[in-house]
Amino acid sequence: MAAPPTTAVDLSALARASGTLEEGERVLVAVSAGRDSTALACVLAGMGVDVILAHVDHGWRGPAAAAADRTAVEA
């Protein structure tokens, strides 16, 4: 079994090689504005994928923080 990808380059190469994602495809990505979802969106955008972001409020940080996160995602 192959080792999991450890970098954006590895993830990009794996997605292309497997046929999972093709350049120019449109992908909906649910993001909370946290580091992990932001990194995923950036990696996909760097692959030439048309990224559509949807803000997800997990309800963990309160209304003010959720509003700030949503503003960050919209930007």
Side-chain angles (χ1 to χ4, degrees), residues 20-45:
T20 302
L21 292 174
E22 300 288 331
E23 189 170 331
E25 279 191 272
R26 180 169 288 166
V27 178
L28 175 64
V29 181
V31 296
S32 63
R35 291 178 182 166
D36 55 345
S37 56
T38 301
L40 174 62
C42 290
V43 167
L44 291 171

Side-chain angles (χ1 to χ4, degrees), residues 5 7-23 25 27 40 43-44 47 49:
T7 68
V9 173
D10 291 345
L11 180 60
S12 177
L14 179 62
R16 284 196 177 99
S18 68
T20 302
L21 292 174
E22 300 288 331
E23 189 170 331
E25 279 191 272
V27 178
L40 174 62
V43 167
L44 291 171
M47 290 176 57
V49 175

Side-chain angles (χ1 to χ4, degrees), residues 48-73:
V49 175
D50 183 17
V51 178
I52 308 298
L53 299 179
H55 178 248
V56 175
D57 176 6
H58 296 292
W60 298 336
R61 300 185 332 123
D69 290 345
R70 180 178 175 163
T71 299
V73 170

